[in-house]
Amino acid sequence: MTADRNCCIGAGQCVLTDPVVFDQDADGVVLVRVERPTGEAADRVGEAVGLCPSGALRIEHD
Ligand code: SF4
């Protein structure tokens, strides 16, 4: 799970989708707290990737 912090526009959709995996800094820019979410969190992260309006989120597969 990576987030391009230069691309993020601070819309907060990711944090609303999973507040454990995602957080926002004082400027509202995304922070990824869990780089390899599993189970239901992984499902929510997939949802967040689709919801993010800036395309900042990427799921990395090995
Ligand atoms: S949903 Fe996208 S644009 Fe919004 S805070 Fe998360 S990464 Fe940034």
Side-chain angles (χ1 to χ4, degrees):
M1 178 80 251
T2 62
D4 183 344
R5 287 171 42 82
N6 294 316
C7 194
C8 172
I9 58 169
Q13 296 300 326
C14 54
V15 182
L16 290 173
T17 305
D18 195 314
V20 175
V21 174
F22 301 104
D23 198 359
Q24 285 171 287
D25 69 12
D27 295 322
V29 177
V30 67
L31 297 168
V32 175
R33 297 287 189 207
V34 182
E35 289 188 6
R36 293 185 181 275
T38 57
E40 290 184 6
D43 293 342
R44 286 194 296 273
V45 163
E47 206 178 312
V49 170
L51 289 171
C52 174
S54 69
L57 302 177
R58 294 267 184 278
I59 297 174
E60 294 179 343
H61 298 283
D62 294 331

